[in-house]
Amino acid sequence: MISAFTGTQIRAAEQPLLDTGEGAVLMQRAAHGLANAVVRELRSAGRSLYGSSITVLAGKGNNGGDGLYAAAMLARRGMRTTAVLTAGSAHPDALAAFGAAGGRVHVLDEDNPEELAVLTAGDDVVIDAILGTGARGGLGGPAAELIAALEELRPQFVVACDIPSGVDADTGEVHWPVLTARLTVAFGGFKAGLMADPGEGCAGKVLLVPIGIEEYLPAPALRRFSAPDLAAVLPDPGRRAQKYTRGVLGVVAGSERYTGAAVLCVEAASAAGAGMVRYLGPEVVARQVLARTPEAIWEPAEPGRVQAWLLGPGLDGAGQLDRARDVLDAAAGAGQPAVVDAGALELLPERCPPNWILTPHAGELAALLGRGEVRVTREDVESRAVHFARLAAEHTGAVVLLKGATTVVASPSGAVFSQSDGCPWMSTAGSGDVLGGIVGALAAAYAESGLDDDGPFAALGIAPDERWAAVAAVGASIHGMAGSAASAGGPLAASDIARAVPGVFRFLGEHRAG
């Protein structure tokens, strides 16, 4: 799995080496990795290294030192190098090395931010090395003016040194202005803020450079499934599998007004491997559900055997809401997992079972938190996704899957996963209904097969109280991968995402076979 750490964790891992006098070695390793990353990117773009121009925006701390040492290495390889000292001073040894390599130096002051922005924006590469993982808050004064002007001018290739200046390394919160990077070179470990919005949207591609602290890193603050991880944990029906061992999902969704929600939920659940889907809803909706997914079963009254539930998408009217409320009560009493979305979020008990998965978007999460003493807006949630997802999991007792460009999944135990496999074209009506169907199918499968200590999640080091959050994260990733495959860079409808799901399973199956 991809592990990410807070700035505090990274600095604590560095401390044993700093105590033995290896601080300069760590900085050289980081600078070497940063310089090599710039070289690879230029060459991959067909650019000649010799004669290309680079400016490093250098703060006064170690982050600026990393950038200056890297620029000195690039100067010795033929690049024209300039440094802008954003705080009037910089790491003394790194600045001396930069000067010895022939680098030019400008000092930022209150009179020249726009002038230096224009000069810098024309260079082939700009390295943002102003603030590192230890910074709190964002830029101010002339440095903020410089970055704001550069962001408007859009330099062609921006590289962030460890983390874009102004992005919180722990949470991904962004303190504007921030210079959007095409590449972020992270040292020693991925930063949690690079895998959560809005910070991830400022980071571009993230490259990890080992610097020797890895053995001192603690348990990660945030994790992300890679394709091999997904392949390892997906349900794998045995030779004697049948529909009940594959998992039966009950669905309470849709209404006469929002029939499509039920259609998409059931279709996606079937496509994601549910052994059977039982639909509970009005007959007029059931007809459309069965027209799209004839293998589903309509349950006009009491359902048969069910291992997990999906409730909420497209609910409208007292009848369906009452049905969802009754099912939630029954699921809680039976200890069954439930995926709760949209309208059913308003029906939650004060405390939910830990095997329930809530799937709100930012506005719904704000409303959910507003039921208690917390008062937040949609904008608050979007600006601090990890914080509020954790808070909601703590308050409700359930797993919280906060939908977004980067989906954040928080467990009541405090564990956090994030997935970012989708594409912007997935922001379309019904996409969340497809996600609910996928997560519901997985919940039914894992409820039947178990999440035991001899299972695939345990093999990845995921603790028992984190495994339902891991199930939700797997579902989010499959949803994103299906959307990206269906889009192929162009528009798509939610039904396209559902139809692409089996292809994702086949792709991951090839990973497992390989």
Side-chain angles (χ1 to χ4, degrees):
M1 297 191 72
I2 301 171
S3 297
F5 305 88
T6 66
T8 301
Q9 289 176 315
I10 293 290
R11 291 191 298 278
E14 292 173 340
Q15 196 60 49
L17 297 172
L18 297 177
D19 291 342
T20 57
E22 296 182 63
V25 174
L26 294 181
M27 185 170 285
Q28 288 296 324
R29 289 171 181 164
H32 188 262
L34 177 59
N36 283 343
V38 171
V39 171
R40 283 193 297 270
E41 291 294 323
L42 284 174
R43 287 178 174 169
S44 67
R47 303 292 299 273
S48 171
L49 195 63
Y50 187 82
S52 293
S53 57
I54 183 170
T55 291
V56 55
L57 310 176
K60 63 181 179 180
N62 289 343
N63 193 253
D66 295 335
L68 287 167
Y69 272 126
M73 295 173 188
L74 293 168
R76 290 193 289 271
R77 300 183 70 168
M79 294 192 74
R80 294 183 287 110
T81 55
T82 303
V84 175
L85 307 188
T86 60
S89 61
H91 187 284
D93 293 341
L95 185 58
F98 178 78
R104 296 175 299 171
V105 175
H106 297 294
V107 177
L108 178 68
D109 59 40
E110 60 185 15
D111 296 323
N112 61 6
E114 290 190 5
E115 175 188 348
L116 289 179
V118 171
L119 291 173
T120 299
D123 283 346
D124 298 294
V125 182
V126 176
I127 295 178
D128 169 11
I130 304 175
L131 298 179
T133 59
R136 288 292 175 266
L139 298 165
E145 294 179 44
L146 171 67
I147 291 301
L150 275 172
E151 180 69 2
E152 188 173 338
L153 292 169
R154 297 190 178 278
Q156 57 183 307
F157 181 35
V158 176
V159 182
C161 180
D162 212 19
I163 194 162
S165 297
V167 173
D168 190 294
D170 297 0
T171 67
E173 185 177 0
V174 172
H175 303 278
W176 304 103
V178 170
L179 183 58
T180 302
R182 190 197 301 181
L183 172 69
T184 296
V185 181
F187 307 132
F190 291 106
K191 312 306 178 290
L194 298 174
M195 294 190 182
D197 273 340
E200 184 164 9
C202 300
K205 180 174 70 174
V206 181
L207 173 69
L208 178 62
V209 172
I211 59 172
I213 67 171
E214 293 71 29
E215 65 179 290
Y216 300 102
L217 289 169
L222 181 150
R223 283 165 290 178
R224 176 171 289 182
F225 286 95
S226 64
D229 300 323
L230 294 169
V233 301
L234 280 185
D236 187 14
R239 176 174 172 271
R240 301 183 64 184
Q242 36 95 351
K243 58 191 175 188
Y244 293 112
T245 61
R246 292 269 304 280
V248 181
L249 178 68
V251 175
V252 182
S255 58
E256 293 187 23
R257 184 180 182 189
Y258 300 114
T259 57
V263 171
L264 290 167
C265 286
V266 172
E267 181 184 18
S270 181
M276 181 189 295
V277 183
R278 299 185 187 272
Y279 175 67
L280 285 71
E283 182 177 0
V284 65
V285 180
R287 290 196 197 102
Q288 296 195 41
V289 168
L290 297 177
R292 179 73 69 85
T293 311
E295 58 269 32
I297 296 175
W298 175 45
E299 301 282 6
E302 294 298 318
R305 179 180 176 184
V306 169
Q307 279 111 345
W309 291 95
L310 166 61
L311 308 101
L315 294 186
D316 185 48
Q320 277 290 75
L321 288 169
D322 287 343
R323 192 193 303 259
R325 185 179 289 106
D326 291 343
V327 166
L328 281 173
D329 290 343
Q336 293 176 319
V339 179
V340 186
D341 187 35
L345 292 168
E346 300 175 6
L347 309 176
L348 294 174
E350 188 170 332
R351 194 71 181 170
C352 300
N355 61 350
W356 285 14
I357 300 169
L358 317 183
T359 59
H361 56 57
E364 290 167 336
L365 185 63
L368 183 63
L369 288 169
R371 293 169 53 184
E373 297 180 357
V374 180
R375 292 292 181 267
V376 296
T377 66
R378 181 189 189 109
E379 291 72 23
D380 292 332
V381 173
E382 289 174 338
S383 68
R384 301 177 67 192
V386 169
H387 170 77
F388 285 110
R390 273 193 177 128
L391 188 62
E394 177 186 334
H395 280 205
T396 63
V399 171
V400 173
L401 184 159
L402 175 57
K403 293 179 281 197
T406 296
T407 294
V408 173
V409 182
S411 166
S413 68
V416 178
F417 298 86
S418 83
Q419 299 299 135
S420 185
D421 305 280
C423 66
W425 289 110
M426 293 177 68
S427 54
T428 186
S431 179
D433 304 329
V434 174
L435 172 65
I438 295 169
V439 177
L442 292 173
Y446 289 117
E448 178 61 26
S449 63
L451 295 173
D452 301 327
D453 287 341
D454 60 353
F457 287 107
L460 289 176
I462 298 172
D465 59 1
E466 301 171 345
R467 288 174 195 164
W468 281 108
V471 170
V474 170
S477 192
I478 291 171
H479 177 250
M481 294 172 73
S484 293
S487 168
L492 79 166
S495 53
D496 298 323
I497 303 173
R499 285 191 286 268
V501 169
V504 173
F505 275 75
R506 287 191 291 272
F507 168 76
L508 294 173
E510 292 170 1
H511 266 276
R512 178 156 47 199

